[in-house]
Amino acid sequence: MFYSGELMWKERDEAIHLVADALPVQNWVQLTGKVLGLLSLLIILMVLMIATGIGFQAAHGYFDFEIELYLLALFVEIFLFVVLIWVVCLISQVLV
C-alpha cells in the first residue's frame, strides 16, 4: 500500500501535477509506466528474497541450493498472491 501510494501521489507531493497533467500523452501511458515500475519493484524484491535465502543457507553450511524450488515457490505461489494484493492497493489509490 505504501509503495503504490508513493507512486500514485508523487506528482502531487512534488507540486508538478499541473505539468504532468498538461503533457501531450494519454492517461493510460502514465498509469502503465507506474504499473510497470511497481511490478519491477515486486520482481526485484522477490529476487532479493531468493538471494537472501541462499546467502543464509550458505552461511550455515548448506550448499545444495534448489534454485528451481525457490523460483517455483516465490514466483508461482507467492508472487501471484502479492500481485493480487498490489492490484487492490493500486486500484484504491487510483480511485482516491
Side-chain angles (χ1 to χ4, degrees):
M1 188 67 148
F2 175 74
Y3 288 130
S4 64
E6 275 294 313
L7 191 62
M8 296 307 292
W9 296 99
K10 184 75 171 166
E11 289 114 11
R12 302 248 185 230
D13 290 342
E14 300 297 325
I16 61 167
H17 60 283
L18 296 175
V19 175
D21 290 340
L23 290 174
V25 295
Q26 298 292 326
N27 288 336
W28 67 267
V29 174
Q30 292 178 352
L31 187 60
T32 302
K34 292 176 183 182
V35 166
L36 291 177
L38 198 53
L39 189 62
S40 65
L41 177 69
L42 290 174
I43 291 171
I44 289 170
L45 287 175
M46 290 289 179
V47 170
L48 284 175
M49 284 194 291
I50 291 172
T52 303
I54 289 173
F56 186 76
Q57 287 179 339
H60 286 83
Y62 183 80
F63 297 104
D64 187 24
F65 306 123
E66 299 179 18
I67 305 295
E68 310 85 37
L69 180 63
Y70 303 145
L71 292 174
L72 181 71
L74 282 177
F75 281 104
V76 173
E77 296 173 7
I78 296 174
F79 185 71
L80 294 176
F81 180 70
V82 171
V83 167
L84 288 175
I85 291 174
W86 166 73
V87 166
V88 170
C89 292
L90 191 66
I91 288 173
S92 68
Q93 292 295 332
V94 168
L95 292 177
V96 168

